[in-house]
Each structure stands twice: as C-alpha cells, then as structure tokens.
Amino acid sequence: MSNHSLLARSLANVWHPCTQMKQHERLPLVPIARGQGLWLYDFEGRRYFDAISSWWVNLFGHANPRIGNAIRAQLDRLEHVMLAGFTHRPVIELSERLSAMTGGALGHAFYASDGASATEIALKMSAHYWRNSGHPEKSRFLCIEGSYHGETAGALSVTDIALFREAYAPLIKFSTTVPTPDARRGPTPQEAAARAADALHAIVAEEAAQIAAIIIEPLVQCANGMVMYDAEYLRRVRTICDRYKIHMIADEIAVGCGRSGHFFACEHADVLPDFLCLSKGISGGYLPLSLVLSSDEIFEAFYDDDTTRGFLHSHSYTGNPLACTAALATLDIFERDNVLERNRERATQLSEIAEPLRRHPRIEHFRQTGMIWAFDVKTEDPDFARKLFSSGLEHELLLRPIGRTVYWMPPYLFDGDDAAFLVQRTGDALEAVFAAE
C-alpha cells in the first residue's frame, strides 16, 4: 500500500481535526504505517522524529512493549463494562493510585475519554457543588487570558483563543478573563506572576459571591504558544481561592504526567487544587482516557438520598478497563524506571545542546519548563507555521509550530544523540524556511 493511495482515500472520507481541509490541496497528509520509540514511519520507509509526542500524548515511545503487553493481557479478561452500577479492578486500582499520589487529598476519580470532557466535568461539578451547598448564584467562572481548555461548549466558555471560540459564540456562556502571568510580561517571572495575581485578587474581591471557580493551566499555557510562568502564581491563586471560597480547577491535561518536571504541575507550588483534570499522557498515549480528581468535600456535597443532588453526568466508555490498564502500566513505568529523575537529566542535556540555537539572531524568548521547550521566531510571514511543519518533515522531524512559536515536547526516552539530532534538524529546517523568504 502506497502513501499516495492512502492519502487519496483519507481526503475522500476523513474529516481531519483542527484543520481547514482545503489546505491539504497544497499540504499533503502524511500516512503513517507504524511507530517505534521516538519515530514514526510512513509506507515508503521515511521516518519522522516525533518531537511533539503526537499532540503531547505519548510518554514512553510508540509501540512500547510494556504498555502493549498490559493491554493485551487485559483484552482476554474484560474489554469493557459500563461503570454505572458496575466496577472493575483496573478502574479501582487506578483511582487508588492517583489518589495516593495526592496524599489522599484528591480522590473519587470521575472518568471520561478526552480532555475537553474532563473540563466539562470539573465545571459542572463546581457549579453543582455550589447549588447543593445553597449558593446557586455562584455559577460564573474565571479563566486566564490566552487559556485553552478544549473544544466542547463548556470548555470553550473558559477558552480565550478567538480562533477556536468565535464561530460558536451564540452557543457559549462566556466567562470572565483575568490577566495572564506570562513570564515575558514582567521584569522577572516572579513579578509578572505577582502582578497577574494582584489583578485576579481585585476581580475576585468584588465578584466572589457569583464566582464558582477559576480554571488554570499550571505553569504552561500550551495552546497559547507555550506561555510559561512562575509557580508563585499558583500559590497566590490557591490563597485567593481559600480566602474568598471559590474553587481552583487545575487543567493538567497537557502539563500533568511529568511534563512539568513533577508528576503534577501543581507540585511545583506545593499546592493542591479542588479539581485536577488529567488526560493525554495518563494512558501513555495509547487509548483515550481522561479523569477529574476532586476533594472529599466536593464528593460529600453530592452524597444524598435525593437523586437530583447526585452528579448524573456520564459517558458510555467511562472508566474503560483497557484504557485504565494502559494508565496503570504507565504509572508502573514512572515508578520502576525513576522517570522523573531521569527526565531532569534529559532536560539539562537537551537545554545544553540547544544553547547555540538559543543564540540564533532570529530566535527569542527561548524557554523551558520540565520536558517542554519553546522559542519564538522573528518573522512576519503569516504562513510560517505551515512552512516550518513542511520543512520539518523534509528533515525527518514532526514539528507543529503554534503561530511563530516552535516547541519540543518529545517522549521521555531520548538520549544525547537523539537530543543532538532534534536540535540540529530543527535548526536545519528553520534555515531552509529562512532561505526561501
């Protein structure tokens, strides 16, 4: 089977995500035959270094035998059963282990399949909590300037990226947007965080009686061009939420599972949210899975003889045994391979190798948080992202720039040679784009 035949069939039958399909008249799709470790391979044998973990989901490489074997073993036991009225070992064990990772402070995991659904769950839980607690007026949400929390209607209501939101404005109950703590906005990252927290405080002090929660992406606002900020903002948000009795929702869908350097990004500030959303890497990139962890106080507000006070949200594949098994295998790898410590070594090594690229005259704001790197390219070309994506493929790299921001978020298994390859080929791809200007 050739790349060409698969390409034609896909264009004829598949509506691809986050895509203006007409662009594929000049930007061909890339049919992938298989993956192995850091690499994706097409049907003609060309390879591509997966520098973005296939939209930030893959943690331990493609075709990872440990995760694959765990899923295969589970297939012979139980593929799925509805979680309403039933339960099973994988979902129980995963919930127990995740709760233990928060010191038992967050438990009663509620499951779905994708990140946007986790956002919906957390928003609904928060508003319903206040209703059950006798404060139905607390139904508004705060989100950070430039935030992104998913594509469903509720998630879009707390998303501040016009490209995703404006077409659906009539369907959305918009939230209040508060200033971003973007480290580039202050003389120091700490001062930028403090200014944004002061602005948040002023809003909450006036409007707390109507606010249910603030939702944040801890440390990195990924879809907004990998905006990074200081952990002091998280500490200040937690203090404000406690003082004014509003919920803190941590969207760790992209930054959780070790991406930030700790398993949970909120650990950098030594705080816990009221709701913690996970998806993407939690299953190692194998199967759709998302979940929301909440405090006992939240859970107890729904525990009642009255059915209407219960949380009646549901998804058909909630807590799927195969997906939960993939997540358990992922947690096993974290524990047995000392992943977080080894990632700190990898991060230091890649940052050192990337130093010449950091100094390139067309590059600014080179930044890094844990296993996420990003930099901005000085360009006025509105088509820069597409051109670098294409140039990356020509240089055996899967890159997906966000506007003029280039980022790396590779799986957690690269060595020094892989890091050198990534840096060198990124530089080569950039130079090819610059030469064609």
Side-chain angles (χ1 to χ4, degrees):
M1 186 176 296
S2 69
N3 279 358
H4 180 74
S5 65
L6 273 179
L7 171 61
R9 289 166 60 191
S10 190
L11 290 175
N13 295 282
V14 181
W15 199 335
H16 291 268
C18 200
T19 299
Q20 169 48 263
M21 290 297 292
K22 187 173 175 59
Q23 292 178 355
H24 285 310
E25 292 179 1
R26 56 193 175 93
L27 181 64
L29 290 164
V30 182
I32 294 299
R34 64 185 181 91
Q36 185 63 56
L38 294 164
W39 298 91
L40 296 165
Y41 297 84
D42 68 17
F43 283 83
E44 296 176 359
R46 288 187 290 264
R47 66 176 191 168
Y48 309 96
F49 186 109
D50 191 352
I52 63 167
S53 295
S54 293
W55 251 349
W56 321 339
V57 302
N58 189 288
L59 298 190
F60 300 116
H62 298 280
N64 183 287
R66 293 155 74 178
I67 301 175
N69 288 339
I71 295 170
R72 277 187 284 272
Q74 181 61 36
L75 273 170
D76 292 331
R77 291 192 290 266
L78 178 66
E79 80 298 336
H80 185 65
V81 63
M82 65 180 184
L83 207 60
F86 295 87
T87 193
H88 53 80
R89 181 193 57 80
V91 77
I92 295 168
E93 291 186 3
L94 179 58
S95 302
E96 289 173 340
R97 290 176 68 174
L98 289 171
S99 178
M101 293 172 72
T102 72
L106 301 178
H108 300 291
F110 198 102
Y111 290 86
S113 299
D114 58 82
S117 296
T119 298
E120 297 278 336
I121 289 165
L123 296 175
K124 288 175 66 176
M125 275 187 178
S126 175
H128 198 162
Y129 167 90
W130 292 115
R131 176 185 174 185
N132 283 355
S133 301
H135 298 284
E137 70 281 0
K138 289 175 74 69
S139 61
R140 288 177 45 213
F141 295 96
L142 304 180
C143 65
I144 297 176
E145 175 188 352
S147 59
Y148 175 86
H149 299 286
E151 302 288 351
T152 51
L156 285 175
S157 75
V158 289
T159 287
D160 185 46
I161 299 178
L163 177 66
F164 300 118
R165 195 180 68 178
E166 285 188 348
Y168 312 104
L171 309 177
I172 296 169
K173 176 184 175 182
F174 288 108
S175 302
T176 299
T177 302
V178 300
T180 175
D182 186 345
R184 295 169 294 185
R185 293 200 174 181
T188 68
Q190 294 77 18
E191 290 182 73
R195 289 177 182 176
D198 287 343
L200 170 64
H201 187 190
I203 292 170
V204 172
E206 291 289 326
E207 304 175 16
Q210 288 79 45
I211 297 171
I214 178 171
I215 183 167
I216 61 174
E217 300 161 88
L219 299 186
V220 186
Q221 294 179 274
C222 293
N224 192 35
M226 298 297 164
V227 168
M228 299 184 185
Y229 62 87
D230 191 79
E232 175 62 19
Y233 186 73
L234 301 178
R235 287 186 281 270
R236 295 280 296 273
V237 169
R238 181 69 272 177
T239 299
I240 292 167
C241 288
D242 290 341
R243 178 177 177 182
Y244 291 95
K245 299 192 184 314
I246 66 174
H247 292 144
M248 177 180 180
I249 302 173
D251 172 355
E252 297 218 10
I253 291 161
V255 299
C257 303
R259 285 292 177 194
S260 71
H262 288 294
F263 191 86
F264 300 121
C266 283
E267 292 180 71
H268 289 271
D270 196 26
V271 300
L272 282 170
D274 300 289
F275 301 93
L276 194 151
C277 305
L278 290 176
S279 189
K280 292 191 181 290
I282 189 60
S283 69
Y286 266 69
L287 289 165
L289 181 67
S290 66
L291 60 100
V292 178
L293 298 174
S294 60
S295 66
D296 287 345
E297 180 185 1
I298 301 296
F299 178 80
E300 289 164 4
F302 293 85
Y303 198 79
D304 197 277
D305 291 327
D306 184 351
T307 299
T308 64
R309 290 175 63 87
F311 190 64
L312 304 183
H313 185 105
S314 64
H315 296 271
S316 298
Y317 282 91
T318 292
N320 174 259
L322 298 175
C324 290
T325 296
L328 288 167
T330 298
L331 295 183
D332 286 344
I333 295 173
F334 270 102
E335 292 178 6
R336 296 170 186 173
D337 290 7
N338 204 12
V339 170
L340 295 176
E341 182 176 333
R342 294 181 66 182
N343 277 357
R344 285 189 277 274
E345 296 169 359
R346 291 185 178 102
T348 297
Q349 186 175 43
L350 177 51
S351 293
E352 290 174 351
I353 292 171
E355 188 60 31
L357 191 62
R358 177 199 291 268
R359 297 195 301 266
H360 192 288
R362 295 283 299 272
I363 287 174
E364 60 185 353
H365 305 310
F366 192 101
R367 52 201 183 273
Q368 178 244 334
T369 295
M371 294 289 280
I372 306 171
W373 291 261
F375 57 85
D376 303 326
V377 176
K378 298 175 185 177
T379 180
E380 301 298 325
D381 186 351
D383 206 22
F384 167 77
R386 182 195 64 79
K387 291 177 180 177
L388 184 59
F389 171 77
S390 297
S391 182
L393 296 178
E394 293 170 3
H395 290 85
E396 299 186 306
L397 282 183
L398 169 53
L399 298 171
R400 190 178 171 90
I402 303 170
R404 65 185 190 96
T405 299
V406 181
Y407 70 91
W408 302 319
M409 203 185 287
Y412 305 160
L413 44 75
F414 62 85
D415 59 21
D417 290 341
D418 298 320
F421 179 94
L422 174 59
V423 173
Q424 179 64 48
R425 292 302 180 92
T426 300
D428 292 344
L430 280 167
E431 292 298 347
V433 172
F434 296 154
E437 291 180 344

